[in-house]
Amino acid sequence: MWKKSELREAPAPLEGPVVGTIIGGTIIWFALFLGQLPFYGWFADNGHAWWVWTCLAGGGLGLIGIWYVRGRDAALKRAAAADRS
């Protein structure tokens, strides 16, 4: 019996504005955190304080993501330049 992966080739990965996408997502997470912060008392009273901290964690992880994708983008550009020369 064949596996489905043996029936066809995997598609090429999509490349796009990865750095801009991660920066945009990080900004959204921080905006959501700042937007919910004035209502922290209500969130805490109703057992939803984790929403606020989830937004902060998303923003923090987004900062790590920005660092990662900028390094990846630079490495891809260096590799492309090395291949051309």
Side-chain angles (χ1 to χ4, degrees), residues 50-67:
W50 63 271
W51 290 5
V52 177
W53 302 119
T54 299
C55 292
L56 182 61
L61 289 172
L63 291 176
I64 294 170
I66 291 168
W67 170 77

Side-chain angles (χ1 to χ4, degrees), residues 10-35:
L14 297 175
E15 291 294 332
V18 179
V19 176
T21 302
I22 300 300
I23 289 172
T26 302
I27 290 170
I28 290 171
W29 278 115
F30 277 125
L32 288 170
F33 170 71
L34 292 174

Side-chain angles (χ1 to χ4, degrees), residues 36-37 42 52 61:
Q36 291 178 354
L37 203 54
W42 182 87
V52 177
L61 289 172

